Amino acid sequence: MFSKRLIAAACAWIALTAPLSVLAQGKPLVFCSASDPEGFDMARWVTTQTIDAAGMTLYDRLVEFEVGTLKIVPGLAERWDISADGKSYTFHLRRNVRFHSTEWFKPARELNADDVAFSLDRYRDRESAFNKAYGVSSYPYNNTWSANVASIEKIDPQTVRVVLKNADATFLANLAMVTSTIISAEYADQLQKSGKLAELDTRPVGTGPFMLRRYEKDVAVRLDAHPQYWGGKAKSDRVVIQTVKDTAVRVQKLKAGECHIGFSPRPQEIETIRADRALELQQIGGLNIGYVGFNTQKAPFDKREVRQALAMASDRKAILEAVYQGIGIPTSQLVPPGMLGHDANLKDIPFDPDQARRLLGQAGVASGTEIEVWAPMIASQYNPDARKTAEMLQADWAKVGIRVKVVTMEWGEFLKRVRAGEHQVALIGWAADIADPDNFFVPLVTCSRPTASRWCTPEVDGLLQKARATTSVEERTRLYRQVAEVVQREMPYLPLAHAKRSQPVRKEVEGFKIDPLSRTILTRVEVR
């Protein structure tokens, strides 16, 4: 007979070594992602992996985008009123909304207007005592809309009024954006009093459908269903978001049943997935753009002629065929076709190596000039293979006298260094948070945040401000087309393609629906 001590030791060994799917008491839902989240205070971050692990699991917003569509629906606000001049929004909050009760925080009350006012005010007032203590005075993806907020007023415990300086056609959509989270003022006060405000990013508390149980860097984020979630308890009691950086390994784990939902397979893996009877591939047109970002603050890319030359030297058709392999829509614009602001009449960027050589000569760039092109070691929805793209650009640009050194690095390091502006050329992209051209142009070509191109002008900022201030579709269309013309002329980016979103799912998964925005929503998903 085995002693109790031996049995306990054996059980501990199994717990440490068994696959995640074996560990469940009832099956956990396992989603294999491509990298770790950057943190858990969603207002600070916007990578797809952070959105999936934090934004759409731990938090809610006043209003939301309906799953699978771009329709704005009630969230923590069950209804709202808008004044005739479009400047005043009165939000009527949902009752019986409870914050997470965790090892690090036990809420004494339900959500009320104090939490909403506090959350919105931290985006608006960069000089607030909270922001200074937290060490974060800027929330990059909330800066633009929050700068237009004149006042935030608590009318009563369940009602908040937000008054804008100018009418903003994108305001509700921006409140539905994944970064516009509502957090607990009570929890923030607890952290501030204890001198541990940084824990807001590591020990999160929200009202969302899941609560953080444990995070192991480079391994997994482990979540439990929020038992008192106002929208009804999540279908899966436990969710594991595994970090699996290699796309081929993700596919193998999916086929083996160690993952239930995958992330952005490479085009060459799609037929393998479709051929597996245990798997289903869901696809949808993506609101994204993959591009080459020229750092306009570094020579020789501070000269427009150089950027134009390298754009003309790039065989984008070949890149589309070799890299995107059927999932890419060719483009020369940042905004996808069919969206307000896309100009179907905008002249395409020609593939013209001869003209590229002439422009480089006019700009004084000598043949043999060496540059670096940075590529992340990750397959993304907007570029399935950045390394291969970089190598194709390397060959194209060599033909016009530019010697390229391709530099690859891990995703987190890549993001950090690109945001710091250390690169010359970076292969990156953007996946929209809202279905509006403002959410393409503002993150990419305004002075409100550090972009991959480091390019912005008062002219473009002014045009975008005017476009937000009108509800006329015709006027917004005209203004956004002007922006598109300026951006193409100045060429801070070389657009490559808009890509379809693809997610493979095991057939025993119920309730999963791929979303047009850059997010994986797991609330109503379970494993049979």
Side-chain angles (χ1 to χ4, degrees):
M1 299 228 7
F2 289 106
S3 70
K4 290 182 179 179
R5 184 174 296 176
L6 284 173
I7 292 172
C11 289
W13 182 83
I14 291 170
L16 288 171
T17 59
L20 288 166
S21 56
V22 174
L23 294 179
Q25 296 175 354
K27 293 180 181 178
L29 176 67
V30 182
F31 167 40
C32 282
S33 185
S35 72
D36 290 330
E38 298 165 282
F40 293 95
D41 177 7
M42 192 62 234
R44 295 184 60 184
W45 316 110
V46 81
T47 64
T48 301
Q49 292 73 34
T50 310
I51 290 170
D52 292 343
M56 300 312 300
T57 56
L58 306 176
Y59 300 103
D60 294 307
R61 289 139 288 275
L62 284 173
V63 294
E64 303 279 358
F65 289 112
E66 187 177 56
V67 179
T69 79
L70 302 172
K71 178 183 177 183
I72 294 175
V73 296
L76 296 177
E78 59 184 3
R79 60 187 176 87
W80 54 90
D81 307 311
I82 307 173
S83 63
D85 65 2
K87 293 183 181 181
S88 179
Y89 290 72
T90 303
F91 295 96
H92 304 275
L93 304 182
R94 196 178 295 277
R95 295 179 183 274
N96 302 315
V97 175
R98 298 178 182 275
F99 284 99
H100 301 155
S101 180
T102 67
E103 294 176 5
W104 49 87
F105 176 66
K106 306 295 180 188
R109 58 170 176 78
E110 296 174 351
L111 171 107
N112 64 28
D114 292 327
D115 303 302
V116 174
F118 170 78
S119 298
L120 299 184
D121 204 53
R122 76 169 178 144
Y123 307 140
R124 179 180 74 99
D125 183 5
R126 301 191 196 181
E127 297 303 313
S128 73
F130 172 84
N131 285 332
K132 287 182 176 179
Y134 186 28
V136 179
S137 62
S138 177
Y139 300 89
Y141 299 94
N142 295 333
N143 282 351
T144 302
W145 68 259
S146 64
N148 188 36
V149 174
S151 65
I152 301 165
E153 180 185 1
K154 174 185 173 182
I155 305 300
D156 62 44
Q158 297 303 126
T159 312
V160 176
R161 179 172 296 135
V162 180
V163 178
L164 306 180
K165 299 171 186 174
N166 303 292
D168 181 356
T170 70
F171 183 61
L172 277 180
N174 276 308
L175 288 184
M177 185 167 59
V178 69
T179 56
S180 301
T181 52
I182 302 301
I183 65 171
S184 166
E186 184 188 8
Y187 180 49
D189 184 58
Q190 172 186 305
L191 292 175
Q192 193 158 13
K193 286 177 179 176
S194 64
K196 297 179 179 178
L197 267 173
E199 290 188 1
L200 191 65
D201 199 32
T202 58
R203 291 183 149 194
V205 169
T207 60
F210 297 98
M211 308 183 299
L212 179 66
R213 177 159 54 94
R214 190 164 75 253
Y215 167 51
E216 302 159 82
K217 183 174 172 54
D218 292 328
V219 178
V221 176
R222 301 173 191 272
L223 306 168
D224 291 333
H226 179 10
Q228 297 175 308
Y229 184 53
W230 61 266
K233 188 169 176 288
K235 290 288 187 180
S236 294
D237 288 334
R238 300 174 71 186
V239 168
V240 178
I241 302 178
Q242 280 196 50
T243 298
V244 184
K245 297 179 181 180
D246 188 288
T247 179
V249 175
R250 286 200 301 274
V251 172
Q252 288 305 312
K253 289 175 80 69
L254 194 71
K255 289 167 73 70
E258 295 177 32
C259 298
H260 300 116
I261 302 172
F263 177 83
S264 288
R266 295 187 193 277
Q268 56 267 36
E269 294 163 341
I270 285 177
E271 288 310 312
T272 301
I273 292 167
R274 283 181 171 149
D276 192 316
R277 293 183 179 180
L279 305 179
E280 172 195 0
L281 184 74
Q282 294 193 17
Q283 285 188 312
I284 195 169
L287 298 176
N288 58 56
I289 175 67
Y291 54 75
V292 180
F294 301 113
N295 188 340
T296 60
Q297 293 182 354
K298 288 195 173 183
F301 308 103
D302 53 342
K303 295 181 178 180
R304 180 175 66 183
E305 294 81 6
V306 174
R307 304 192 296 270
Q308 290 174 331
L310 293 184
M312 290 182 178
S314 305
D315 189 346
R316 291 178 299 133
K317 182 179 179 182
I319 291 172
L320 200 73
E321 291 174 354
V323 175
Y324 289 84
Q325 297 183 26
I327 67 165
I329 300 168
T331 189
S332 58
Q333 302 178 51
L334 298 178
V335 175
M339 182 182 284
L340 176 71
H342 180 90
D343 187 354
N345 298 316
L346 191 65
K347 190 176 179 181
D348 197 7
I349 302 161
F351 175 49
D352 191 342
D354 291 335
Q355 177 64 4
R357 290 188 199 92
R358 284 191 287 271
L359 286 172
L360 289 170
Q362 291 170 16
V365 178
S367 181
T369 294
E370 296 184 0
I371 64 169
E372 288 187 353
V373 173
W374 289 8
M377 294 166 20
I378 184 175
S380 66
Q381 60 173 291
Y382 46 72
N383 190 327
D385 195 335
R387 171 81 196 194
K388 187 170 186 176
T389 305
E391 290 170 348
M392 294 184 74
L393 292 174
Q394 181 184 50
D396 287 342
W397 295 356
K399 295 172 185 175
V400 297
I402 301 296
R403 296 176 61 188
V404 171
K405 178 183 178 183
V406 175
V407 178
T408 57
M409 60 188 77
E410 185 271 329
W411 177 236
E413 182 71 9
F414 174 84
L415 273 182
K416 178 182 175 183
R417 296 183 65 181
V418 169
R419 285 171 177 163
E422 297 176 23
H423 63 292
Q424 288 183 298
V425 180
L427 284 170
I428 191 168
W430 175 253
D433 301 298
I434 65 174
D436 193 280
D438 193 73
N439 193 243
F440 281 86
F441 289 130
V442 168
L444 300 178
V445 293
T446 60
C447 302
S448 64
R449 66 198 66 184
T451 66
S453 70
R454 294 300 197 275
W455 178 88
C456 66
T457 69
E459 177 190 6
V460 165
D461 274 8
L463 289 169
L464 292 175
Q465 187 171 342
K466 287 179 182 177
R468 284 192 297 274
T470 179
T471 56
S472 165
V473 174
E474 293 78 12
E475 181 64 4
R476 292 190 83 204
T477 298
R478 185 184 69 81
L479 292 165
Y480 287 131
R481 285 180 176 176
Q482 283 184 251
V483 173
E485 289 173 5
V486 174
V487 171
Q488 192 186 78
R489 182 184 71 232
E490 297 298 324
M491 201 63 65
Y493 302 99
L494 170 60
L496 296 175
H498 307 288
K500 295 178 184 176
R501 285 202 73 208
S502 302
Q503 277 194 280
V505 183
R506 288 193 62 83
K507 288 188 176 176
E508 62 264 31
V509 171
E510 289 186 343
F512 180 77
K513 188 174 185 180
I514 192 169
D515 196 79
L517 295 169
S518 178
R519 54 192 198 162
T520 300
I521 303 171
L522 304 173
T523 312
R524 298 291 163 225
V525 183
E526 62 183 329
V527 183
R528 286 198 301 268

